[in-house]
Amino acid sequence: MKILVINTGSSSIKYELFDMEHHRVMASGMAEKIGEDTSLLTHKGISPNGDPVEKMEDAVIADHLEGMNRIVQLLVDPDLGPIQAKSEISAVGHRVVHGGEAFHSTTIIDKKVIAAIRKNIPLAPLHNPPNLVGIEITTTLFPDAPQVAVFDTAFHQTIPMKAFLYALPLELYREKKVRRYGFHGTSHAYVAERAADYLGQSLAELNLITIHLGNGASMAAIKRGKCVDTTMGMTPLEGLVMGSRSGDVDPAIPFFLSDQLGMSFKDIDGLLNKDSGLKGLCGTNDMREVLEKKDAGDDRARMALEVYCYRIKKYIGAYFAALESLDVMVFTAGIGENAPYIRELSCSGLNGLGIELDREQNHGVREGIKEISSPKSHVRVLVIPTNEELKIAQETKRVLQNILVK
Ligand code: ADP
């Protein structure tokens, strides 16, 4: 079974083709800057004779349909492509950002599902429309392959009402669905499962805190395999300090910005989403650069890192309380996987909660899963590389097999 995973953004299409029988990636790449003067097409994979191939080219890609057509051409290219015909692709798995309350799990896409994703556009105006464009295009290009939607929000649908309701007039929830949804669900679910595999235990026996630190960042509290709380909210703006997003702020700050600085809603939206977080505090949103600046003695970078890690530490405490007991903590994504300093600072002084890192393990470089807690630590602390595309492919395969069994 070959599954194509697609992640369509407003000006990009990311793709990855999995050979599920042989557990390998056959190709991956991206069409970027779609609709701009010069677009960029990258492709990496296995050639028809089994050699690794890589291609990167400037192109003019007017729209997503053209972008997807170019990707298909690459996949079946006689010199570069890992397959001979697009009919070899058994199914297409789509990352869909917002499933609202309609979707608790992965689902086969039909007209009703498309209508429901469309209905959730007000909750994710930047993400759901391009996701729908991607679905429409691959439905036309692969008419015989089932299309499957894997939602960023689905894993968090088990969060109980006490954790997802905001203390606002209840009608706002009942009528407008204003509530916490949470994102990065595919990543949180994937690393939680990998943690259980690594420990040789069932996920249903474990209480975990998963900490996804990429450009966007979020944490999840997972009780006996089910998510019970997460830091992102109705939108991805809430919670942790991120590359350029503020995370939690006093909700009255926008009024102050409007009253005192005459900023419009649009300005404030841009400030909180694009000019805050690490970028706002120290001028760069790239963690590698922030760490380099800190090492060079830059005070603003040091302060930004303190704010960043203190927020994580505070949520570890909060989720410890929410879970009532904790077995495992997992760090993942670009920063979580690669920045020992961030892991150390976020866990410092938590011995009282049974969380103790082993300095050498934390700083050690190793591929795959790494255990970084000391043997004395009650809570096992793991670093697990996330793989959202693989999880989407696995979910796609799972729902297809479920229908075959039925
Ligand atoms: P995205 O959310 O876009 O998928 P990633 O998970 O790739 O993001 O994470 C990107 C972040 O990871 C950036 O801030 C980057 O600087 C950081 N990062 C990547 N490698 C390292 C590293 N070796 N040390 C510290 N930070 C890193």
Side-chain angles (χ1 to χ4, degrees), residues 11 32-40 57-63 66:
S11 63
E32 288 170 83
K33 301 188 181 177
I34 293 173
E36 293 184 22
D37 291 346
T38 322
S39 316
L40 184 65
E57 64 170 332
D58 286 343
V60 179
I61 303 176
D63 54 24
E66 195 177 341

Side-chain angles (χ1 to χ4, degrees), residues 1-5 16-27 46 82-83 88-91 390 393-394 397:
M1 183 186 260
K2 297 186 182 92
I3 294 179
L4 181 63
V5 172
E16 200 152 330
L17 179 64
F18 290 89
D19 173 353
M20 301 305 280
E21 268 101 56
H22 302 98
H23 307 283
R24 63 182 181 143
V25 176
M26 303 179 85
I46 312 166
I83 54 173
E88 285 177 48
I89 291 172
S90 328
L390 174 61
Q394 289 169 340
K397 183 176 168 191

Side-chain angles (χ1 to χ4, degrees), residues 201-219:
Q201 279 177 274
S202 149
L203 192 53
E205 296 168 0
L206 292 172
N207 286 357
L208 309 93
I209 295 176
T210 49
I211 307 175
H212 176 111
L213 306 175
N215 281 315
S218 68
M219 289 170 57

Side-chain angles (χ1 to χ4, degrees), residues 184 212-216 285-289 291 333-335 338-339:
H184 291 143
H212 176 111
L213 306 175
N215 281 315
N285 63 345
D286 188 298
M287 182 55 91
R288 272 169 297 204
E289 285 177 31
L291 289 165
I335 298 167
N338 297 300

Side-chain angles (χ1 to χ4, degrees), residues 103 107-118 132 149 151:
F103 299 103
T107 184
I108 304 253
I109 297 171
D110 57 17
K111 283 203 175 97
K112 265 194 184 150
V113 171
I114 289 177
I117 298 172
R118 190 163 289 132
L132 282 166
F151 297 93

Side-chain angles (χ1 to χ4, degrees), residues 138-155:
T138 54
T139 305
T140 315
L141 288 179
F142 304 94
D144 299 325
Q147 309 285 319
V148 172
V150 181
F151 297 93
D152 261 24
T153 47
F155 181 63

Side-chain angles (χ1 to χ4, degrees), residues 251-262:
I253 288 174
F255 313 131
F256 176 89
L257 297 175
S258 162
D259 281 351
Q260 298 293 315
L261 304 175

Side-chain angles (χ1 to χ4, degrees), residues 27-79:
S28 65
M30 190 169 180
E32 288 170 83
K33 301 188 181 177
I34 293 173
E36 293 184 22
D37 291 346
T38 322
S39 316
L40 184 65
L41 198 59
T42 42
H43 175 88
K44 227 168 136 172
I46 312 166
S47 74
N49 51 22
D51 296 327
V53 284
E54 242 182 286
K55 185 181 163 107
M56 192 175 200
E57 64 170 332
D58 286 343
V60 179
I61 303 176
D63 54 24
H64 286 80
L65 176 59
E66 195 177 341
M68 200 60 227
N69 268 318
R70 296 289 294 267
I71 292 168
V72 172
Q73 277 166 18
L74 282 168
L75 292 174
V76 300
D77 185 280
D79 297 321

